Amino acid sequence: MPYVNIKITREGATAAQKAELIKGVTDLLVNVLGKNPATTVVVIDEVDTDNWGIGGESVTTRRRRGQ
Amino acid sequence: MPYVNIKITREGATAAQKAELIKGVTDLLVNVLGKNPATTVVVIDEVDTDNWGIGGESVTTRRRRGQ
Amino acid sequence: MPYVNIKITREGATAAQKAELIKGVTDLLVNVLGKNPATTVVVIDEVDTDNWGIGGESVTTRRRRGQ
Amino acid sequence: MPYVNIKITREGATAAQKAELIKGVTDLLVNVLGKNPATTVVVIDEVDTDNWGIGGESVTTRRRRGQ
Amino acid sequence: MPYVNIKITREGATAAQKAELIKGVTDLLVNVLGKNPATTVVVIDEVDTDNWGIGGESVTTRRRRGQ
Amino acid sequence: MPYVNIKITREGATAAQKAELIKGVTDLLVNVLGKNPATTVVVIDEVDTDNWGIGGESVTTRRRRGQ
């Protein structure tokens, strides 16, 4: 019955890619720890690049510099 | 001074229902643990069904099958 | 299939009290939003009073002053 | 390599203010704990006032009363 | 630069199994979304079975019944 | 009424350092966004190095290599 929260920047992940993350993380918990997939919950949060910081600055600022 | 985070799928919960959740959780913490309601914080996150997985698939896919 | 995270200070909540929180929050989600209890997950985090701040100071400091 | 999550109500914080929060929290972790800023992540969540409760009621309700 | 939080019950996951989860989730984010592993953070929380509820009761109670 | 969660590895942060983080983050939210410190909550989670991953491996493994 694990719970997994994945936070990524909102930069165009498709429904198919998100489904792949959900499937991949669930399989991993089944394979590594024998968890029950039926009660394994995965929540993906997509966060605006203005609201995500790393190295003391926002991802918006980094993307503008080409990073 | 508890902090409660409720995550639900974004499927039309009304402001009145969310107010009822806030009131109900706060009352519960007051009644069970004697917490101070004035500093009890409740945050509700509504998550797109594409971004919520259970049983290895998204809620969007499950809803499409009528689950 | 909601997920609820309750954070409280670690100040002696008993297993019975925590069971009451789990039952109460689950019932609330069933009653207010018609959620399925079988896939409703509740996680309680108990946090040391040194690690919880409010009003700019730790709960340890507040408790020492009788608050 | 700390991770910081800041949750505030969605009430008009600007990109510049959010950049200031990201910079300020990162500097704090560098200064107090000697953390490496390059792997310090800050995520800001802006939450609708209907979805934030304190004192058993939503911030929407409190704002309406002038609080 | 994703952030992933995995919550599981504290029931004896080994350091090797946790390393496998960290590796597996990081690889998944690289493969599905092309994320940079160097800034991909994974945090695993192990939660006492008294503090984890599903179906309105704690995992401690469920384990006692053999579930 | 912000809520801030700071996650760091459990590597000996003192109560004084944690108090400094609580004070610093609260002041930042007051100064940048005019938030009310009385209802600003800060929760610090200290995470075992086995349970924190970056770059696809645990911090335990990185520390062993001198990183």
Side-chain angles (χ1 to χ4, degrees), chain A residues 1-5 7 52, chain E residues 1-5 7 52 59:
Chain A
M1 86 213 59
Y3 168 79
V4 180
N5 181 224
K7 287 185 197 291
W52 193 297
Chain E
M1 81 214 62
Y3 169 80
V4 181
N5 180 224
K7 286 185 197 290
W52 193 295
V59 174

Side-chain angles (χ1 to χ4, degrees), chain C residues 27-43:
Chain C
D27 286 354
L28 187 70
L29 284 154
V30 170
N31 295 336
V32 176
L33 292 177
K35 294 296 183 183
N36 178 5
T39 52
T40 295
V41 174
V42 182
V43 171

Side-chain angles (χ1 to χ4, degrees), chain E residues 15-66:
Chain E
Q17 287 172 320
K18 291 185 284 191
E20 213 176 324
L21 291 180
I22 289 168
K23 181 76 171 64
V25 168
T26 305
D27 286 352
L28 187 70
L29 284 154
V30 171
N31 295 335
V32 175
L33 293 177
K35 294 296 182 184
N36 178 5
T39 52
T40 296
V41 174
V42 182
V43 172
I44 301 169
D45 293 325
E46 295 174 272
V47 177
D48 288 344
T49 55
D50 276 356
N51 289 19
W52 193 295
I54 186 162
E57 58 185 7
S58 74
V59 174
T60 304
T61 299
R62 292 166 74 91
R63 293 289 184 256
R64 215 176 278 145
R65 276 205 316 274

Side-chain angles (χ1 to χ4, degrees), chain A residues 23-65:
Chain A
K23 180 78 170 64
V25 169
T26 305
D27 286 354
L28 187 70
L29 284 155
V30 170
N31 294 336
V32 176
L33 292 177
K35 295 295 183 184
N36 178 5
T39 53
T40 295
V41 174
V42 182
V43 172
I44 300 169
D45 293 325
E46 293 173 274
V47 176
D48 289 344
T49 56
D50 277 355
N51 290 18
W52 193 297
I54 186 162
E57 57 184 7
S58 75
V59 174
T60 304
T61 300
R62 293 165 74 90
R63 293 288 184 257
R64 215 175 279 145
R65 276 206 316 273

